[in-house]
Amino acid sequence: MAKMEVKTSLLDDMIGVGDMVLLEPLNEDSFINNLKKRFDHNEVYTYIGSVVISINPYRSLPIYTPEKVEEYRNRNFYELSPHIFALADEAYRSLRDQDKDQCILITGESGAGKTEASKLVMSYVAAVCGKGAEVNQVKEQLLQSNPVLEAFGNAKTARNDNSSRFGKYMDIEFDFKGDPLGGVISNYLLEKSRVVKQPRGERNFHIFYQILSGASEEFLCKLKLERDFSRYNYLGLDSARVNGVDDASNFRTVRNAMQIVGFMDHETQSVFEVVAAVLKLGNIEFKPESRANGLDESKIKDKNELKEICELTGIDQSVLERAFSFRTVEAKQEKVSTTLNVAQAYYARDALAKNLYSRLFSWLVTRINESIKAQTKVRKKVMGVLDIYGFEIFENADNSFEQFIINYCNEKLQQIFIELTLKEEQEEYIREGIEWTHIEYFNNAIICDLIENNQTGILAMLDEECLRPGTVTDDTFLEKLNQVCATHQHFESRMSKCSRFLNDTSLPHSCFRIQHYAGKVMYQVEGFVDKNNDLLYRDLSQAMWKANHSLIKALFPEGNPAKINLKRPPTAGSQFKASVATLMKNLQNKNPNYIRCIKPNEKKAADIFNEALVCHQIRYLGLLENVRVRRAGYAFRQAYEPCLERYKMLCRQTWPHWRGPARAGVEVLFNELRIPEEEFSFGRSKIFIRNPRTLFKLEDLRKQRLEDLATLIEKIYRGWKCRTRFLLMKRCQIVIASWYRRYAQQKRYQKIKSSAITVQSYIRGWKARKLLRELKHLKRCNEAATVIAAYWHGTQVRREYRKFFRANAGRKIYEFTLQRIMQKYFLEMKNKMPSLSPIDKTWPARPYLFLDSTHKELKRIFHLWRCKKYRDQFTDQQKLIYEEKLEASELFKDKKALYPASVGQPFQGAYLEISENPKYKKLTDAVDEKIIIAEVVNKINRANGKAASRIFLLTKNNVLLADQKSGTIKSEVPLGDVTKVSMSSQNDGFFAVHLKEGSEAASKGDFLLSSNHLIEMATKLYRTTLSQTKQKLNIEISDEFLVQFKHEKVCVKFIQGSQKNGNIPTCKRKNNRLLEVAVP
């Protein structure tokens, strides 16, 4: 059976209010309290209509698993609890099914989780789109571009350990099926000032620390770097190490990601060389030096760092050194060269480092775009993901040029957000046929105009001041602002003509304040002109272009002398303004989706909710304004089908099933509930509810009705359960009764049957006994007649033959009695005969004394007979073995201590497979007789008593000793020359073979040998000698015997030895006349 689909809703089991549009009452306190309540229950996502508010939990939550992806896949936006996956799924399905280009705008301050949110969106889209080798490669490249950009564009700040210091917009391109084809990345305003200086407690960009921590010693040597962070002035030391961040592991991840994205090995090497050059630029220091004309110039203190930089980049050292000391100014046809003092030299060094890194980052983005761009020319659908810095307000007037243009970008995003939200609302009203009413809201176009107006805007004034000849300072720029913007209602300054600020001590003289949509921000004017100019001396550009390093040369095309352009490059402000204009134009053409990220605390700790900090972010994100715009008309809208499905139980006519159109059912439902007509309106496909109180009233009625329905269902279920139980018990009772009746009848039948059998048995017994009595009486009558007849016949015979019986009666009776006793004796012996085993000693006892000799003779005859039967079972081979065993018993039993252990061992003879082993082929060829025994023995050396291994061979005529390794015959003795074999009575394998004096074999003397099969060898030697010479071989068993060694006799003495050598007998030569064998 198919699994039933469960209908759910955002309103089910809701913690707090899942959609802020339904919040009642709507104010700042209730808004924050609702966020806090949901945050405390790990609900980090909340809706404002189709906008997702994301609170950074600062810990891992189990809500991003593959199961969660499948749960939100192809589901209605409001069907499940708020989640970033719901927004990503809605955007992806709109792009795939409705052919609408999408953009997802992720905003929030540093540490709010913007980067993680963009990763989650991309990972969700990658998970739900198509599969295939090519598609998977594209998805992997898109995902792996993140680690590369994070390494080069992110840094540890006071607010975030992985803060994006640039704005990123990625267009992901899809085909008509919704499969990714590629992407395009745009970057905005990299914070390049961080390269040369970082605030206290913050770090430079990640890549500097990763390359020093993770690169191998060999790689660092190539880059002329050292692993110690303190060696480099551009790296802040107070926070060089970050808890929970493994820079070495991240470096390996970055290199792997660059390989996946498509960077060649030489490109990766060039990138890291540029990074190393930037790092080493910070170590260049200058000293003042006076010239003859009285002007000061700067000189480099230590040229080793400069030399290594030039070796890395392929620049002529003298060219780069001059660029740090002189500046050439060109005007029409004239060139003027001026010296740089120490302060100007440091400025030039830092400007070069910032430009080099900034241009490298832009090159990386361009290179990644070349790899991930779509390869086909077909029409593409686009989903844009914007991860850009949020509104920034620093305390103590630390807001500078960077914060000014960041906040300008957020003003433009807020403007387009309000416009697109209102546009979306208006389009939905028109689409549904609902009358559109004008919505009052704050339009921040006036603030955008204050900043970007081409004539009177702050950016225009800043560019004009930068281009103006003469002395230009930040103070002159502020004076111009006071002249042009003094009357603007969103501009404030101590120098403005508005008298209300003259006594405002909170506003310093060198600052101005702008009333942004998110609140007032005070900017420190110091550094505005320099940062807007972003000036890099032409001498440095030309020096970089002259480098032999292909990447560095490509980063500075303006250094080419053939392309000298005397026109000033565009300022940083104008470039950013143009980029923002392009971005806004791009966003205007797409359907927007918003994710507002909020940071709950400054400690980056889990489970801490700082209400003041959250309130500050709610204000500058304009979230309350967003809610008010969304609910200015109708706070809630829902399609007729899910609305009727959710609330149909509130009306008898629609419950449980409505047969007509869904809209008609909703009209009947709302009329039945008597909801005022001004509280709702019917669209073409949706019901619009004006006030959240009406929706909550419906929810309360639904909850009460569900409780009533649950009670009804419970009642019906209990009744059904009781009826079912009763019917089951009834059926069981019937079954039990039928079985009992059957059992009772069976018992009654068994009882009757048993009674009948008992009666039958008694009757049959009575009849049998009656017949038996009759038969016994007849038998007794017959027996009595027979006895009487026998007695009568006996009397007649005795009378007739009495005279004959009296002469031979005693002898006849004796013979008869003796015959019966013998017959009984033999019959009893037949039944009491012992087993046929020859070793069985048992025999029946003698019954009568006069049978003693007969009894013994029978025992002897029986033993001989069973021995013969046992021998008849033997083969010829077995007979030979037993003959040898018998011979050994006669020779060694009770004489040699080694004998009992040999009884159970069969005599094998050929212990070496000489004929089958090719090693002994030479020995086999030399011996043409049958080998009786072949065994490895130890031949005792006559000089020192040490043993040497030999092969002992016994044939029909000879005894042979051969070398074990080569198989060469060492000695050959005819059996006729063997006179005696001597051995000890102890448990050892030593024996001496005595040879006939004067024989050829006895020239070297007797043999003293040791074997593990002494009993077998001596027995076979004895039997073979007897067979060939017809003379018995003398076997001498004694613990002392003499052995003839050449011309002298040596005594071999056996003694009891110690256990230190184990159970092995040892032989030692004590003197010229004594060999001593120690037997354990």
Side-chain angles (χ1 to χ4, degrees), residues 442-711:
F442 171 68
N443 190 344
N444 69 335
I446 186 172
I447 303 175
C448 296
D449 186 69
L450 169 65
I451 299 172
E452 68 180 1
N453 188 281
N454 291 331
Q455 281 76 35
T456 60
I458 295 176
L459 287 176
M461 294 300 100
L462 183 58
D463 287 348
E464 183 178 325
E465 193 67 14
C466 291
L467 297 173
R468 181 174 63 83
T471 303
V472 177
T473 64
D474 296 317
D475 293 334
T476 59
F477 165 62
L478 183 58
E479 289 176 7
K480 176 162 285 192
L481 288 183
N482 290 333
Q483 295 172 7
V484 177
C485 306
T487 58
H488 199 286
Q489 59 182 337
H490 291 275
F491 179 84
E492 302 172 3
S493 169
R494 285 289 293 270
M495 303 297 291
S496 65
K497 298 176 182 179
C498 187
S499 61
R500 70 179 187 276
F501 300 122
L502 294 177
N503 297 321
D504 187 358
T505 59
S506 65
L507 186 62
H509 288 279
S510 61
C511 298
F512 65 91
R513 184 185 292 150
I514 294 179
Q515 176 68 49
H516 288 283
Y517 77 92
K520 293 183 179 182
V521 182
M522 182 169 62
Y523 297 100
Q524 173 63 253
V525 76
E526 182 182 352
F528 262 61
V529 173
D530 285 341
K531 292 177 180 177
N532 188 51
N533 270 325
D534 193 21
L535 185 61
L536 179 67
Y537 297 149
R538 184 173 288 113
D539 300 76
L540 289 172
S541 298
Q542 292 176 352
M544 292 296 106
W545 188 84
K546 292 177 182 178
N548 291 328
H549 197 283
S550 58
L551 176 57
I552 293 180
K553 191 166 187 171
L555 295 180
F556 293 88
E558 75 276 12
N560 187 352
K563 299 180 180 179
I564 292 179
N565 186 2
L566 299 181
K567 184 179 179 181
R568 282 182 68 96
T571 61
S574 61
Q575 291 181 42
F576 188 72
K577 177 182 173 182
S579 299
V580 169
T582 304
L583 176 63
M584 296 303 117
K585 183 179 179 181
N586 196 350
L587 297 180
Q588 287 280 6
N589 298 326
K590 293 182 175 62
N591 185 47
N593 303 271
Y594 299 94
I595 301 172
R596 303 298 206 190
C597 298
I598 292 178
K599 180 167 62 174
N601 60 78
E602 292 283 8
K603 298 179 180 179
K604 296 177 279 190
D607 302 324
I608 298 178
F609 190 91
N610 188 323
E611 296 187 12
L613 179 63
V614 173
C615 177
H616 171 70
Q617 295 172 83
I618 288 172
R619 288 174 182 171
Y620 76 64
L621 286 173
L623 298 184
L624 279 174
E625 187 77 12
N626 187 2
V627 177
R628 292 190 182 101
V629 169
R630 181 64 191 244
R631 61 188 287 180
Y634 293 92
F636 183 76
R637 71 252 6 225
Q638 192 175 26
Y640 289 121
E641 289 80 3
C643 181
L644 182 62
E645 182 70 25
R646 186 167 184 82
Y647 301 111
K648 64 182 180 180
M649 72 286 297
L650 301 179
C651 176
R652 293 183 180 274
Q653 299 178 49
T654 57
W655 178 257
H657 300 291
W658 174 256
R659 303 297 180 186
R663 173 171 176 167
V666 174
E667 291 177 353
V668 169
L669 174 64
F670 275 55
N671 291 333
E672 179 75 17
L673 295 175
R674 297 179 181 178
I675 298 175
E677 294 184 359
E678 64 272 10
E679 286 296 322
F680 64 89
S681 182
F682 293 104
R684 291 189 176 93
S685 64
K686 295 180 181 179
I687 176 73
F688 288 74
I689 298 176
R690 187 178 300 278
N691 199 306
R693 285 192 296 269
T694 304
L695 180 65
F696 291 138
K697 179 183 177 182
L698 287 173
E699 284 296 312
D700 291 340
L701 291 173
R702 179 177 180 271
K703 183 177 180 181
Q704 182 60 43
R705 181 59 178 157
L706 286 175
E707 291 177 358
D708 296 340
L709 289 174
T711 304

Side-chain angles (χ1 to χ4, degrees), residues 104-302:
I104 298 176
L105 280 68
I106 307 171
T107 57
E109 73 172 50
S110 179
K114 302 186 298 299
T115 302
E116 288 301 318
S118 66
K119 290 180 184 177
L120 289 171
V121 170
M122 293 178 65
S123 63
Y124 179 85
V125 173
V128 300
C129 63
K131 302 291 187 291
E134 186 175 346
V135 174
N136 288 338
Q137 182 182 0
V138 172
K139 290 193 292 186
E140 186 68 14
Q141 286 186 336
L142 290 173
L143 293 175
Q144 289 299 325
S145 65
N146 280 325
V148 179
L149 294 179
E150 283 185 16
F152 287 86
N154 289 23
K156 189 263 183 190
T157 66
R159 299 182 176 184
N160 185 4
D161 290 343
N162 187 32
S163 175
S164 297
R165 307 317 299 162
F166 70 104
K168 182 179 74 173
Y169 177 75
M170 174 183 280
D171 269 334
I172 308 173
E173 300 172 337
F174 298 84
D175 62 9
F176 70 96
K177 303 189 298 296
D179 294 340
L181 297 173
V184 179
I185 299 174
S186 303
N187 66 299
Y188 300 95
L189 193 65
L190 177 72
E191 188 191 8
K192 56 186 177 182
S193 61
R194 181 172 292 272
V195 174
V196 299
K197 185 180 180 181
Q198 306 91 42
R200 186 171 183 80
E202 299 189 4
R203 294 206 313 177
N204 211 321
F205 292 102
H206 291 326
I207 189 62
F208 295 116
Y209 304 92
Q210 291 174 0
I211 196 172
L212 294 179
S213 300
S216 64
E217 293 293 341
E218 180 184 358
F219 191 64
L220 287 177
C221 186
K222 287 182 180 179
L223 299 181
K224 305 186 184 303
L225 295 176
E226 298 179 21
R227 206 173 291 280
D228 185 7
F229 294 162
S230 62
R231 292 275 296 115
Y232 304 100
N233 297 331
Y234 281 165
L235 301 183
L237 298 180
D238 54 338
S239 57
R241 303 286 182 186
V242 181
N243 292 333
V245 176
D246 186 352
D247 289 318
S249 175
N250 291 340
F251 179 71
R252 292 189 290 271
T253 302
V254 170
R255 295 203 67 169
N256 183 57
M258 293 177 75
Q259 186 177 4
I260 293 174
V261 170
F263 282 81
M264 300 299 172
D265 290 341
H266 71 275
E267 291 177 324
T268 304
Q269 179 70 23
S270 298
V271 168
F272 288 128
E273 287 173 351
V274 174
V275 173
V278 171
L279 201 55
K280 296 183 76 63
L281 274 173
N283 290 351
I284 296 178
E285 296 182 349
F286 302 94
K287 60 183 179 180
E289 188 174 295
S290 299
R291 301 183 68 185
N293 57 7
L295 297 176
D296 287 339
E297 66 173 317
S298 62
K299 290 292 183 180
I300 297 176
K301 288 183 180 180
D302 184 2

